[in-house]
């Protein structure tokens, strides 16, 4: 017998902000975990010694384990947590909830200066009590969580290089000790799709290679979603076995690791104005277009500025939007220079520079800004005689 469950999750983005903005330093690669659990003396004898689950945070910077974080579980009568390892056990003095219960797991820095805000990450655990007979008759519960969300941040900086790569644990598929609740049962897992990106070690899913959001988005994954199809074979006897499959979407977090670039190959723009007279808010020349490989959400902190405007004539009117006509969502910024006041040109050419800058970019390689050098060539012959004398 084969049962298939398909889970669809949309692509997420994370903005790692530096300096003046609070940083998203760590994240849980597995969140929103739900599972059924027989709550009795038998399960207590197992899960008070073998962890039900283990959840640890990874550093956004390099996807390595954040060893300087501690873990806490809100006070409850069913579960306890090892604050150093993030392992979750049943209490020996447990009390069963009457219905589903949700508990919050929190990660926080081991050493936190008093004057700094506390950076914390959370995940939720929802436990649904279920009689042991039902649990073992359904069998799928010993293969997979009822549901869970899996996440991985794209590789960053030097960690994109193959010689720096280390497999990253995305998460477990279930509690590895769940099979002990049902006698004479053995499990085997196989990865049937997604092996180019992921590898399965027992009941744990790892990355197989470095992952780049900008490269994968729209090419090897539909709408940026990375999928893994996993089959769990439950062997009841030499002749009796059942198979259960899950298709998981692993959310790939987009870093703000690309700076804006000019759409045109040349940074020089020449605009010709027939009239030397202008009014406030009028368009000055044509639009300047910038592009950025990152998604719009990751580019939430782009800023724009006009430089070398000695007479204070211009202001930037810029609007960012997301385009995905190539199958790769990216940011396009349309900038129109407008006159900031009424006035008249008395010199030509008049040149300024228009800069688009990303203050929150995490890359030390890519340029943080792109600058357009704009020159206005004005027909001064249409100046009134009195203006020409001036």
């Amino acid at each position: 017998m084969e049962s298939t469950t398909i889970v669809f999750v949309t692509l997420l983005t994370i903005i790692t902000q530096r300096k003046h903005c609070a940083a998203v330093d760590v994240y849980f690669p597995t969140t929103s975990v739900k599972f059924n659990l027989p709550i009795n003396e038998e399960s207590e004898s197992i899960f008070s010694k073998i962890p039900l689950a283990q959840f640890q945070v990874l550093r956004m910077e390099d996807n390595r384990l954040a060893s300087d974080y501690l873990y806490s579980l809100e006070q409850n009568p069913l579960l306890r947590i090892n604050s150093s390892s993030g392992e979750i056990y049943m209490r020996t003095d447990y009390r069963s909830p009457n219905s589903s219960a949700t508990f919050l797991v929190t990660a926080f820095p081991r050493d936190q200066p008093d004057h700094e805000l506390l950076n914390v990450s959370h995940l939720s655990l929802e436990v649904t009590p279920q009689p042991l007979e039902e649990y073992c008759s359904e069998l799928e519960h010993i293969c997979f969580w009822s549901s869970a969300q899996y996440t991985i941040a794209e590789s960053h900086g030097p960690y994109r290089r193959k010689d720096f790569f280390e497999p990253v644990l995305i998460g477990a598929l279930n509690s590895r000790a769940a099979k002990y609740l049902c006698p004479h049962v053995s499990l085997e897992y196989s990865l049937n799709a997604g092996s180019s990106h992921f590898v399965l070690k027992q009941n744990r899913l790892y990355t197989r290679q470095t992952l780049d959001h900008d490269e994968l988005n729209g090419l090897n994954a539909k709408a940026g979603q990375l999928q893994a199809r996993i089959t769990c074979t439950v062997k009841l006897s030499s002749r009796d076995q059942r198979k259960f499959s899950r298709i998981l979407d692993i959310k790939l977090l987009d870093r703000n690791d690309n700076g804006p670039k000019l759409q045109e190959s040349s940074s020089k723009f020449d605009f010709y104005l027939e009239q030397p007279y202008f009014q406030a808010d009028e368009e000055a020349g044509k639009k300047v277009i910038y592009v950025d490989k990152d998604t719009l959400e990751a580019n939430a902190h782009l800023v724009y500025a006009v430089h070398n405007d000695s007479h204070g004539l211009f202001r930037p009117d810029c609007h960012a939007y997301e385009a995905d006509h190539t199958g790769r969502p990216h940011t396009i910024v349309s900038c129109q220079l407008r006159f900031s006041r009424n006035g008249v040109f008395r010199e030509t050419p008049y040149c300024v520079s228009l800069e688009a800058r990303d203050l929150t970019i995490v890359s030390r390689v890519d340029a943080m800004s792109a600058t357009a050098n704009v020159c206005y060539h004005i027909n001064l012959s249409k100046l009134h005689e009195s203006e020409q004398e001036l």
Side-chain angles (χ1 to χ4, degrees), residues 52-72:
L52 265 167
Q54 182 180 24
F55 302 105
Q56 295 178 307
V57 289
L58 304 179
R59 295 193 178 281
M60 278 293 299
E61 182 179 8
D62 54 14
N63 276 332
R64 304 290 174 87
L65 182 66
S67 57
D68 55 344
Y69 271 67
L70 296 175
Y71 304 91
S72 68

Side-chain angles (χ1 to χ4, degrees), residues 122-280:
H122 306 282
L123 71 86
S124 61
L125 288 178
E126 183 177 319
V127 183
T128 300
Q130 185 178 27
L132 182 60
E133 295 77 13
E134 292 182 12
Y135 183 87
C136 290
S137 65
E138 295 178 4
L139 290 177
E140 188 173 4
H141 294 305
I142 69 175
C143 287
F144 302 104
W145 306 119
S146 300
S147 67
Q149 294 182 4
Y150 299 99
T151 302
I152 184 68
E154 69 170 335
S155 305
H156 171 55
Y159 300 100
R160 290 181 177 176
R161 292 165 43 186
K162 292 183 178 180
D163 54 334
F164 273 83
F165 173 73
E166 291 183 6
V168 179
L169 173 61
I170 298 173
L173 305 176
N174 76 328
S175 173
R176 63 185 175 89
K179 60 184 178 181
Y180 299 132
L181 289 170
C182 307
H184 313 299
V185 168
S186 63
L187 303 180
E188 288 184 1
Y189 290 95
S190 60
L191 182 60
N192 307 115
S195 57
S196 59
H197 304 305
F198 307 107
V199 63
L200 198 59
K201 298 179 181 180
Q202 296 181 343
N203 72 328
R204 294 187 167 197
L205 189 65
Y206 292 81
T207 57
R208 179 184 289 275
Q209 63 175 2
T210 60
L211 301 174
D212 188 309
H213 179 278
D214 306 319
E215 291 182 0
L216 293 173
N217 197 8
L219 286 181
N220 301 327
K222 181 181 179 181
Q225 301 174 14
L226 301 180
Q227 290 188 337
R229 187 178 191 273
I230 299 168
T231 298
C232 172
T233 302
V234 183
K235 293 185 177 181
L236 302 173
S237 66
S238 59
R239 295 183 178 180
D240 188 8
Q241 64 182 28
R242 301 181 189 180
K243 292 186 177 182
F244 304 92
S245 295
R246 289 281 178 94
I247 297 180
L248 304 177
D249 262 11
I250 291 83
K251 298 177 289 187
L252 185 59
L253 305 183
D254 183 22
R255 298 178 190 273
N256 185 15
D257 54 1
N258 294 285
K261 299 181 184 300
L262 285 165
Q263 186 180 56
E264 302 294 332
S265 57
S266 173
S267 63
K268 183 171 173 56
F269 294 80
D270 291 293
F271 299 132
Y272 296 85
L273 304 181
E274 285 298 319
Q275 289 288 341
Y277 302 95
F278 54 85
Q279 292 183 338

Side-chain angles (χ1 to χ4, degrees), residues 260 288-292 302 304 318-321 331-335 356:
V288 176
I289 306 298
Y290 299 88
V291 294
D292 192 308
L302 286 170
Y304 316 95
C318 299
H319 301 276
Y321 60 94
T331 301
I332 295 179
V333 180
S334 172
C335 281

